[in-house]
Amino acid sequence: MMHLTLYWGKNVTLLVDSWKTDSWLSYLLTLLACFLFSSFYQYMEDRRVHFRSLSSSSTTAVPLLPKYQRSAKFATAVLFGVNSAIGYLLMLALMSFNGGVFLAVFWGLAVGYLFFRLIDDEEPWGVIDNACACA
């Protein structure tokens, strides 16, 4: 049965029919997976922003490495695709409407931001020209 309101309980079907929790151990492992996956999302976003800054650096600053810039642009595109897929999977996990899954994803994103993205304020690749969250 699919819930259409937020509920609390250990019985969750997450993403696919074969991922069902029926015990507290399987539920806690699922919450741990959601936490780690959402923290990994923040790490991948940090890497994407880093490669984006590398690919947008001017060719006059690095005249001997134009191939490196093309590789950085390709890596930025791949990381954007992977990060988008992870973000959509997290959104679909939240659509299970389980309170524990919601909190695990929320705290995973917050802790991931703390460990991986908050450091960007001190490093040069943390500056982004576009303030849009979807860019």
Side-chain angles (χ1 to χ4, degrees):
M1 181 177 122
M2 179 153 178
H3 294 271
L4 297 177
T5 59
L6 193 67
Y7 73 99
W8 299 92
K10 68 176 173 34
N11 297 326
V12 179
T13 301
L14 198 67
L15 299 177
V16 291
D17 285 335
S18 60
W19 192 348
K20 291 183 180 182
T21 63
D22 54 358
S23 67
W24 285 107
L25 178 65
S26 63
Y27 181 63
L28 291 176
L29 289 174
T30 296
L31 295 182
L32 179 65
C34 290
F35 178 85
L36 293 174
F37 203 56
S38 55
S39 295
F40 181 68
Y41 174 81
Q42 291 292 353
Y43 172 75
M44 293 297 287
E45 183 66 18
D46 176 62
R47 296 293 88 201
R48 185 184 69 82
V49 169
H50 176 68
F51 281 118
R52 182 178 174 192
S53 70
L54 286 177
S55 67
S56 65
S57 65
S58 67
T59 56
T60 58
V62 189
L64 299 176
L65 300 174
K67 187 175 182 179
Y68 178 70
Q69 275 188 314
R70 280 183 265 153
S71 298
K73 285 184 181 184
F74 179 74
T76 301
V78 169
L79 287 175
F80 179 79
V82 169
N83 215 28
S84 296
I86 292 172
Y88 283 121
L89 287 174
L90 288 172
M91 179 196 63
L92 288 173
L94 289 175
M95 290 177 67
S96 70
F97 291 105
N98 183 273
V101 171
F102 175 79
L103 290 176
V105 170
F106 169 80
W107 284 111
L109 288 171
V111 169
Y113 184 84
L114 177 69
F115 283 118
F116 302 117
R117 306 275 315 276
L118 198 58
I119 298 169
D120 282 348
D121 293 337
E122 302 163 1
E123 298 185 22
W125 61 76
V127 179
I128 299 176
D129 295 332
N130 191 350
C132 178
C134 60

